[in-house]
Amino acid sequence: MSELAIPELCLVVLIGPSGSGKSTFAAKNFGRFETLSSDFFRGMVSNDVNDQSATKAAFESLNFIAGKRLDAGLLTVVDATSVQADARRQLVALARAHDVLPVAIVLDLPLSVSLERNEQRSDRVLENHVIRRQYDQLRRSLKGLGREGFRRIHTLSSVAAMEGASIRREPLLNDFRHDEGPFDVIGDVHGCLAELCTLLEKLGYKLIRDEQGRVLDAKHPQGRKAIFVGDLVDRGPDSPGVLRLAMGMVAHGNARAVPGNHEDKLVRALEGKRVQTSHGLAQTLAQLAAEPEEFRREVKDFCRGLVSHLVLDQGRLVVAHAGMTEAYQGRASARVRAFALYGDTTGETDEYGLPVRYAWANDYRGEAAVLYGHTPTLDAEWINGTMCLDTGCVFGGKLTALRYPEREVVQVPAEQVWFEPAKPLAPARESMQAESGSTEGATAEEAGERVDGVLKISDVLGKQSIQTGIHGRVSIRQEQAAGALEVMSRWATDPRWMPYLPPTMSPVSTSKLTDYLEHPTEAFESYNKAGVLSVICEEKHMGSRAVVLLTRNPQKFDAPRGWRGTVYTRTGRPFFNRKTADDFLMRTDAAVEEAGLWEELATDWILLDAELLPWSFKAEEMIRGQYAAVGASATSSLSDATGALEKALESGADVAEILGRLRSRKENAAAYIAAYQNYTAPSKGLDGVQLAPFQVLASEGAVHSGRDHMWHLNLADKLAAADPELIRATRRMVVRTDNSESRTAGTQWWQELTAAGGEGMVVKPLQNLTRRSGDSRVDKDLVQPGIKVRGREYLRIVYGPDYTDPRNLVRLKDRNLALKRSLALREYALGIEALDRLVSGEPLWRIHQAVFGVLALESDRVDPRL
């Protein structure tokens, strides 16, 4: 006898060939209305359960009813063969669309059982080859069910196992309806241990300390239980102390907790993943570094194990870090977790550079009280049965708790301002109105209409499919969108002023030459093979990719009067502070005027793709902390080692071979230092800063991707002539890929550039947007818009000082460029699509959808050295 555990609310998919006993199993273990049979629905739509021509309509009906049941919070079982991956994929998608977990119960009985039962059926008999095919499909599917998205998989491999199995329904991890409290729900602590201890004592808890005086637990004499709404860490003075107390309280049953976005980020950092250490995370990591390794592991396990939200007191109370709409309460999916951690952002940023959040509480009509934090407010107050308990303690405000069910607010003041807020705290209602942009009277959005300048999280959240004009549909996976949303909501330029993000660029195929990892030969061959006979080789500036939006018509971009534009990175972050940006844009405007481009392009705005130099302007900290540190360490250690070995050699020791290797490494280290020093230069304000534009992306009424690159570079030359201190021209050379002399000349030019300390060059089809010769497949025929060929010495920065060692080169040459190339094409197509939508006057959300897609694709795991 075995029990199969399933969540109380889920979508159960029975998987097995005809005759395996799915209907019998369902009738025994599930309720009369819980099981939806494909045979039944086939009969419903055609009056004949055997009518295979009705299958499509039957499944459309089944999925519709299943969706309605899941909406109502009812466990639902699908009784169909589901042996084909596509059929299962649709059911997994159905579960995700309704924020429930998909569960697979597989009846993997011997084929002979299904064949025998099929012969005994009186209602219908399938051909044996059909059942054999279904059985084969099942066998091929077994190992991949987890990858398909099923959260639990139960496999029954014999008749006895199937007959002896029973179902055990388990509450979801967020289901604490049985816990009726009373509770003390505490807002965002952010490392403010002293204030937390004071608040707990004010609430009546007794603090429990160890012999070192550290607070390990807090217990209420009347059995009350604390609930932390997340963001225990970052910004404040003692995040480890707060964690130690909260973890102790949870471990001893004196508290519960939900994760905040800061805990989510901390877990990723502790797991060794690459994260931005801003917003106080660096401080927390530094504090944790002083703690034992065991404690850090406990912190990681604790934070990772927290459930997105809690449903308490028979469903009358819900606690989540950023809030929880009624539709998501008691559900489990990535979408629900994302909402619980981050809330719902409009995609815009306010004047302080912070994300504008959708004021979900204004529209909340649920029966449960929702307590949350995340967005600091001056005071805690009820809004439609919800209350934000983050009153900005770490910013010098207050630490707030709500006694439940008494609904009494208890607060203690912050001991000091521990972290300067990005913007002043505002009252909850004022903050909510500001976030939602609400005004008196009915708005178009309230009337159910889509407002052009308003973004919705549904535009970008979850799986997306974006139609592009030059490359067909580009799909964005849910996890890609989630990663981009984090970047966009925290650091990006206002979406109104970010109509384009540049694509990634693929490096050239690995060189066949022994001493080179990259060489122009492969770039020329690649384009020649694609039928591109004329290419342009452009000097690759070692700077930071920059997009410049310059306008004399701020109204076009819904900007305030006097706004000139913006300059941002390839991930959407502003390059300059406001004052420096204004100075930069004023000079750029003057250069455009002097070059006559406003009149030539008949425009009052222009969008440029460029490089901002020097590299050290943006990457100075990285150069000092990463490259310079490596160079200094290598130089020092290798000098000492070679010196010692030289003395040993003089003494007659047999160390000549190892000394030779170390001398070579010392030379490599010196070359490494010289390589990165080529791209560092002093800069202050705009002094020493230069812009190297290489493409005019768009202007009023026109996207310029159809113009050849020489046209673009000639316009850039005019700008450089107008202000040579600020604007740098880009050197270039046209090469015929079908002419050996021309290719040789192109290679020699590349060698001259790199020998002089240049990064290398970018090889592009001269005609710009180009399709393969003789190939008309819209989704396959684009050629790479550019291929970078980096210099031998520059690649030391990328691959390390000793990458040129023959043994290392052999290993490095084994690199897979397929994903990088695919990303480059898809991002390029999305960028052009965003420009087309901008010039066509489409609403902001449509433009932003394509721009966001570029950033989402960037979250794919690709070797960063490529």
Side-chain angles (χ1 to χ4, degrees):
M1 187 75 176
S2 62
E3 284 188 325
L4 311 182
I6 66 172
E8 285 184 342
L9 174 57
C10 65
L11 178 66
V12 178
V13 180
L14 300 180
I15 304 174
S18 297
S20 57
K22 296 183 300 299
S23 299
T24 302
F25 180 85
K28 173 190 172 186
N29 291 286
F30 298 103
R32 175 185 174 189
F33 298 109
E34 288 182 327
T35 301
L36 305 181
S37 166
S38 59
D39 285 348
F40 176 81
F41 279 89
R42 196 178 287 111
M44 284 283 291
V45 299
S46 71
N47 287 335
D48 183 0
V49 298
N50 295 316
D51 185 359
Q52 296 301 311
S53 66
T55 296
K56 183 176 183 295
F59 275 94
E60 289 175 349
S61 303
L62 185 153
N63 288 345
F64 177 81
I65 298 300
K68 291 298 182 183
R69 286 184 56 84
L70 295 175
D71 279 342
L74 300 174
L75 182 143
T76 301
V77 181
V78 175
D79 175 13
T81 60
S82 298
V83 293
Q84 294 179 329
D86 186 64
R88 296 190 298 272
R89 191 177 301 114
Q90 294 180 39
L91 293 172
V92 170
L94 178 67
R96 288 175 174 167
H98 295 276
D99 303 293
V100 300
L101 300 177
V103 174
I105 297 180
V106 184
L107 302 186
D108 184 25
L109 275 59
L111 175 61
S112 58
V113 173
S114 296
L115 293 174
E116 181 180 351
R117 288 176 175 172
N118 182 57
E119 294 294 335
Q120 295 172 355
R121 295 183 67 164
S122 58
D123 54 343
R124 61 174 176 148
V125 177
L126 294 177
E127 296 291 338
N128 284 343
H129 71 86
V130 174
I131 296 177
R132 287 193 177 93
R133 183 176 67 245
Q134 294 174 351
Y135 181 81
D136 289 340
Q137 290 171 329
L138 171 65
R139 300 299 300 170
R140 290 195 298 270
S141 302
L142 291 178
K143 292 183 179 179
L145 294 178
R147 293 191 298 272
E148 292 178 4
F150 288 99
R151 298 295 293 273
R152 294 191 188 181
I153 302 167
H154 298 291
T155 303
L156 302 173
S157 301
S158 67
V159 174
M162 185 183 74
E163 293 177 346
S166 61
I167 300 296
R168 184 179 76 252
R169 306 187 188 205
E170 297 178 337
L172 288 170
L173 295 177
N174 55 38
D175 186 353
F176 292 91
R177 288 174 294 178
H178 61 279
D179 193 347
E180 299 179 355
F183 306 113
D184 299 302
V185 186
I186 300 173
D188 302 32
V189 181
H190 279 302
C192 298
L193 178 61
E195 290 88 339
L196 176 58
C197 291
T198 302
L199 178 62
L200 287 170
E201 289 182 320
K202 189 172 182 178
L203 290 166
Y205 288 80
K206 303 300 180 184
L207 302 181
I208 301 171
R209 301 178 183 269
D210 63 9
E211 62 274 11
Q212 301 175 45
R214 300 179 302 182
V215 189
L216 302 182
D217 193 6
K219 185 177 179 66
H220 200 284
Q222 297 174 358
R224 298 182 70 90
K225 189 176 294 180
I227 300 179
F228 297 101
V229 303
D231 279 4
L232 296 166
V233 301
D234 294 350
R235 297 182 174 136
D238 195 358
S239 290
V242 171
L243 286 165
R244 186 176 289 108
L245 172 54
M247 289 160 58
M249 293 180 69
V250 171
H252 292 97
N254 296 319
R256 297 191 189 280
V258 295
N261 56 297
H262 284 261
E263 281 79 42
D264 183 64
K265 196 172 183 181
L266 175 61
V267 168
R268 287 184 277 131
L270 292 176
E271 289 176 339
K273 296 178 181 176
R274 200 170 183 179
V275 296
Q276 295 289 332
T277 57
S278 52
H279 302 284
L281 177 58
Q283 186 176 358
T284 297
L285 292 173
Q287 294 168 0
L288 285 171
E291 299 289 336
E293 175 63 26
E294 181 180 358
F295 180 78
R296 290 196 294 273
R297 285 198 301 270
E298 291 173 355
V299 167
K300 180 176 66 175
D301 293 340
F302 171 79
C303 294
R304 186 166 51 194
L306 296 175
V307 182
S308 67
H309 69 288
L310 305 177
V311 181
L312 302 140
D313 189 21
Q314 303 304 320
R316 289 186 283 265
L317 175 65
V318 172
V319 178
H321 175 62
M324 186 59 54
T325 63
E326 184 179 13
Y328 289 169
Q329 293 170 11
R331 304 278 170 151
S333 69
R335 178 168 58 180
V336 172
R337 183 173 178 83
F339 192 100
L341 290 174
Y342 302 101
D344 200 348
T345 62
T346 67
E348 300 170 285
T349 52
D350 60 20
E351 66 270 26
Y352 301 97
L354 299 175
V356 176
R357 305 188 187 283
Y358 174 63
W360 64 272
N362 282 345
D363 302 321
Y364 182 73
R365 298 297 182 267
E367 295 180 3
V370 180
L371 302 179
Y372 64 105
H374 190 51
T375 304
T377 61
L378 193 61
D379 295 298
E381 62 178 292
W382 289 101
I383 299 176
N384 295 331
T386 77
M387 177 179 280
C388 177
L389 298 175
D390 182 2
T391 46
C393 180
V394 76
F395 301 128
K398 296 162 286 201
L399 186 60
T400 297
L402 180 81
R403 283 191 171 121
Y404 178 93
E406 299 90 340
R407 298 197 173 206
E408 175 190 351
V409 173
V410 180
Q411 297 177 319
V412 297
E415 292 188 352
Q416 66 177 73
V417 176
W418 299 105
F419 196 95
E420 286 294 336
K423 69 176 180 180
L425 301 182
R429 288 188 182 274
E430 179 181 321
S431 176
M432 193 67 71
Q433 290 169 358
E435 288 178 2
S436 65
S438 61
T439 58
E440 294 185 5
T443 65
E445 190 168 18
E446 290 170 339
E449 300 175 7
R450 183 63 186 263
V451 181
D452 285 357
V454 173
L455 302 176
K456 293 184 177 181
I457 199 168
S458 58
D459 298 329
V460 295
L461 195 63
K463 184 178 180 180
Q464 303 286 323
S465 181
I466 305 173
Q467 181 67 42
T468 68
I470 65 171
H471 199 54
R473 287 195 173 275
V474 175
S475 295
I476 309 296
R477 300 193 306 274
Q478 181 172 334
E479 61 269 24
Q480 292 172 320
L485 187 62
E486 168 78 4
V487 174
M488 190 74 77
S489 62
R490 287 178 175 270
W491 300 292
T493 298
D494 190 316
R496 295 174 297 173
W497 310 331
M498 188 173 60
Y500 174 83
L501 284 178
T504 189
M505 183 179 297
S506 174
V508 66
S509 298
T510 305
S511 176
K512 300 180 182 66
L513 298 175
T514 304
D515 295 335
Y516 288 91
L517 188 60
E518 297 182 5
H519 193 270
T521 298
E522 281 70 27
F524 299 147
E525 289 179 352
S526 174
Y527 280 124
N528 183 259
K529 186 176 180 180
V532 179
L533 302 184
S534 293
V535 296
I536 187 165
C537 304
E538 297 180 8
E539 170 190 11
K540 193 172 191 310
H541 300 284
M542 183 51 177
S544 303
R545 191 75 172 266
V547 177
V548 180
L549 173 60
L550 184 67
T551 184
R552 292 184 169 182
N553 179 18
Q555 187 177 1
K556 163 82 175 177
F557 300 94
D558 192 23
R561 182 175 298 179
W563 185 80
R564 293 178 179 273
T566 186
V567 190
Y568 54 88
T569 70
R570 68 181 307 267
T571 56
R573 303 188 189 196
F575 260 110
F576 305 115
N577 59 37
R578 288 185 180 179
K579 174 64 171 61
T580 306
D582 286 344
D583 293 344
F584 175 87
L585 292 165
M586 185 181 301
R587 284 186 60 179
T588 307
D589 185 306
V592 173
E593 174 73 31
E594 176 69 21
L597 299 190
W598 293 124
E599 292 78 13
E600 182 175 343
L601 298 175
T603 187
D604 54 12
W605 64 272
I606 190 170
L607 192 65
L608 300 174
D609 202 352
E611 286 281 330
L612 195 73
L613 298 99
W615 181 43
S616 53
F617 175 79
K618 179 186 170 199
E620 183 174 5
E621 284 189 19
M622 182 175 68
I623 293 170
R624 287 180 177 176
Q626 181 174 324
Y627 298 104
V630 171
S633 175
T635 300
S636 175
S637 61
L638 289 170
S639 294
D640 291 343
T642 53
L645 287 172
E646 285 169 351
K647 291 180 180 179
L649 185 65
E650 292 173 358
S651 301
D654 185 14
V655 295
E657 183 179 349
I658 190 171
L659 176 61
R661 290 201 301 268
L662 287 185
R663 284 172 174 168
S664 176
R665 292 190 64 189
K666 186 177 178 181
E667 291 173 1
N668 290 342
Y672 173 80
I673 294 171
Y676 71 72
Q677 286 181 340
N678 276 329
Y679 313 115
T680 60
S683 60
K684 184 176 181 181
L686 290 183
D687 294 340
V689 173
Q690 283 195 306
L691 183 77
F694 51 82
Q695 191 158 355
V696 180
L697 294 165
S699 57
E700 182 62 34
V703 176
H704 299 297
S705 56
R707 296 182 181 267
D708 68 59
H709 283 290
M710 195 62 77
W711 178 87
H712 290 273
L713 292 173
N714 287 339
L715 293 188
D717 287 346
K718 293 181 181 180
L719 290 174
D723 189 345
E725 289 187 2
L726 180 65
I727 311 295
R728 179 187 291 192
T730 297
R731 291 174 286 178
R732 65 272 194 177
M733 179 180 188
V734 175
V735 170
R736 289 284 301 185
T737 64
D738 60 345
N739 183 287
S740 60
E741 291 183 3
S742 182
R743 288 164 58 151
T744 299
T747 300
Q748 290 175 345
W749 187 68
W750 173 79
Q751 290 171 335
E752 292 168 4
L753 285 176
T754 56
E759 179 183 346
M761 68 184 184
V762 179
V763 184
K764 305 175 180 178
L766 178 61
Q767 294 305 314
N768 209 338
L769 199 162
T770 305
R771 301 187 184 278
R772 290 182 183 275
S773 176
D775 190 340
S776 61
R777 294 171 296 169
V778 173
D779 61 339
K780 298 291 185 182
D781 59 347
L782 278 181
V783 301
Q784 290 291 334
I787 297 174
K788 58 187 177 183
V789 188
R790 296 168 290 184
R792 189 172 187 269
E793 288 307 309
Y794 167 79
L795 285 173
R796 288 190 194 279
I797 303 176
V798 179
Y799 288 99
D802 299 316
Y803 97 98
T804 51
D805 182 281
R807 292 169 299 180
N808 291 334
L809 263 180
V810 169
R811 175 176 52 82
L812 292 173
K813 282 175 178 285
D814 183 17
R815 55 182 190 169
N816 186 356
L817 299 179
L819 179 55
K820 184 75 171 182
R821 289 169 174 167
S822 173
L823 280 175
L825 284 178
R826 286 179 284 156
E827 291 180 18
Y828 176 64
L830 286 170
I832 299 298
E833 183 64 25
L835 296 175
D836 286 338
R837 294 179 181 185
L838 169 69
V839 169
S840 299
E842 295 199 31
L844 175 64
W845 72 270
R846 286 267 297 161
I847 301 167
H848 182 65
Q849 184 185 50
V851 175
F852 185 90
V854 175
L855 190 60
L857 290 178
E858 278 294 293
S859 66
D860 255 6
R861 293 184 178 180
V862 178
D863 186 346
R865 300 173 299 180
L866 300 179

